[in-house]
């Protein structure tokens, strides 16, 4: 059977027991549960009871974006929400081994050369489906004087990449 995670590609305000999350994603195979973030922390929330449980705290205490869960490997993928061109890393957390890792330091150097916009991966969204990580990035043009646009051929364009992972889910052999 296929399992999949659902990621919302926009900021969602979710209040639950005084917890305001910036990203929410459904927890695979767990009806009534969602994952959300708050300044570097990832929570599982029981939507039926409104109770939240801290899953982990990211190594850097900044806003998290692009949650995607792979329950077969026990990994939550994420990136930081900083809207800067230098924000290019994608991270993982293995909740079975309680281990954080860097999936890739610079997503634009992954096989297939994915394109990133002015916000790096800070405006990205992610979902996990059928053994693949799907990762979307916004390629918005700059509206600031003196800041170059990414190109006339891709104004306000977004890109969605299918990311092939290795068997362990900790490296990227291909994107398309």
């Amino acid at each position: 059977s296929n399992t999949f995670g659902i990621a919302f590609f926009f900021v969602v305000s979710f209040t639950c027991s005084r917890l305001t999350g910036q990203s929410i994603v459904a927890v695979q195979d767990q009806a009534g549960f969602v994952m959300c973030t708050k300044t570097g922390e990832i929570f599982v929330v029981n939507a039926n009871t409104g109770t939240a449980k801290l899953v982990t705290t990211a190594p850097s205490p900044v806003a998290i974006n692009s949650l995607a869960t792979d329950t077969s490997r026990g990994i939550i993928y994420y990136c930081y929400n900083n809207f800067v061109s230098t924000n290019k890393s994608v991270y993982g957390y293995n909740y079975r081994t309680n281990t954080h890792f860097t999936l890739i330091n610079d997503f634009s150097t992954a096989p297939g050369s994915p394109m990133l916009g002015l916000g790096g991966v800070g405006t990205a969204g992610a979902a996990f489906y059928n053994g693949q990580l799907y990762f979307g990035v916004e390629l918005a043009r700059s509206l600031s004087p003196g800041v170059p646009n990414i190109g006339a051929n891709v104004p306000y364009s977004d890109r969605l990449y299918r990311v092939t992972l290795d068997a362990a889910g900790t490296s990227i052999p291909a994107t398309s």
Side-chain angles (χ1 to χ4, degrees):
S1 76
N2 292 333
T3 59
F4 61 95
I6 300 169
F8 297 98
F9 289 86
F10 50 89
V11 176
V12 177
S13 177
F14 185 87
T15 303
C16 173
S17 301
R18 298 183 352 210
L19 173 68
T20 301
Q22 297 155 340
S23 297
I24 298 176
V25 63
V27 179
Q28 298 174 354
D29 299 328
Q30 300 293 321
F33 288 85
V34 295
M35 295 185 80
C36 64
T37 66
K38 180 183 180 211
T39 315
E41 298 173 319
I42 300 174
F43 293 85
V44 172
V45 179
N46 182 326
N48 297 317
T49 65
T51 57
K53 179 180 178 185
L54 179 65
V55 175
T56 189
T57 301
S60 295
V62 298
I64 292 175
N65 194 6
S66 307
L67 290 174
T69 58
D70 174 1
T71 56
S72 66
R73 293 183 182 108
I75 297 175
I76 301 168
Y77 297 98
Y78 64 94
C79 62
Y80 294 133
N81 199 38
N82 301 339
F83 186 82
V84 293
S85 61
T86 56
N87 182 12
K88 299 178 180 183
S89 299
V90 180
Y91 303 95
Y93 171 70
N94 186 317
Y95 54 81
R96 293 181 183 148
T97 63
N98 192 28
T99 306
H100 287 269
F101 62 92
T102 301
L103 180 64
I104 189 165
N105 279 317
D106 183 347
F107 186 68
S108 67
T109 64
S113 302
M115 186 184 304
L116 297 178
L118 296 173
V121 295
T123 60
F128 196 86
Y129 175 72
N130 202 23
Q132 304 284 315
L133 176 64
Y134 291 85
F135 198 74
V137 294
E138 296 177 28
L139 299 179
R141 289 177 56 162
S142 171
L143 300 177
S144 302
V147 178
N149 291 322
I150 59 170
N153 294 330
V154 287
Y156 304 103
S157 296
D158 300 332
R159 295 286 190 268
L160 178 63
Y161 299 101
R162 181 178 60 205
V163 179
T164 301
L165 301 166
D166 68 353
T170 57
S171 68
I172 301 174
T175 63
S176 57

